[in-house]
Amino acid sequence: MPPEGIVELPTVPPVLEHDKVSGIIDVLDVRFGSLWTNIPREIFLHLDVKHGDRVEIAISNQTRTVYKYIMTYARSFADVCIGEPLLYVNSLDCMAVAINQGSFSRAYNVGTGTNWKIVIRKAPKIIYE
């Protein structure tokens, strides 16, 4: 193919801003329904989140937020109950969201591509009196 015929796809690099990291959802793990982001673990770790900590995840499609919830940053799926969402590091060493024994993509109608944005931040501590 001649170079003029090559189409370059747009990319959106991950961004670390103070207390949050943002990126896109670029891969759907079709076997399990997990959503893989373009946020490398190395950038995510700047949030000072440890395994077992809670994170706030917000997913939007252009201007509409379709998901916003607090979940566990898990070492493995065994760290959360069946049906519970989790954030984990996938085999590409990037951050991913899933539901233990369920499809995150299907449950929340989330797709992939540069218009699917994800923001991750350390969840605030809530103190009850």
Side-chain angles (χ1 to χ4, degrees):
M1 173 178 279
E4 309 79 54
I6 296 174
V7 177
E8 189 174 327
L9 297 174
T11 60
V12 179
V15 177
L16 175 65
E17 301 175 283
H18 306 293
D19 66 338
K20 65 183 176 184
V21 63
S22 59
I24 61 167
I25 298 168
D26 54 1
V27 175
L28 165 62
D29 181 350
V30 293
R31 288 180 42 210
F32 302 108
S34 302
L35 299 169
W36 292 11
T37 75
N38 69 331
I39 301 169
R41 178 175 51 98
E42 181 179 302
I43 291 176
F44 168 76
L45 291 177
H46 286 279
L47 297 180
D48 193 34
V49 176
K50 309 287 186 258
H51 287 112
D53 287 351
R54 308 287 277 168
V55 291
E56 180 185 87
I57 303 291
I59 299 173
S60 59
N61 185 351
Q62 296 174 1
T63 59
R64 187 173 64 99
T65 299
V66 297
Y67 181 87
K68 189 170 187 180
Y69 195 73
I70 293 175
M71 64 180 67
T72 301
Y73 170 44
R75 189 178 312 272
S76 75
F77 282 65
D79 291 344
V80 299
C81 295
I82 293 173
E84 196 175 333
L86 65 141
L87 176 73
Y88 68 100
V89 178
N90 66 22
S91 59
L92 300 178
D93 205 29
C94 289
M95 306 314 296
V97 292
I99 293 176
N100 188 2
Q101 296 189 26
S103 171
F104 193 100
S105 174
R106 199 171 319 125
Y108 299 105
N109 285 327
V110 177
T112 61
T114 56
N115 59 327
W116 286 98
K117 309 277 190 247
I118 184 166
V119 177
I120 305 170
R121 71 175 68 220
K122 191 172 190 174
K125 298 265 187 224
I126 299 174
I127 300 172
Y128 294 99
E129 294 186 281

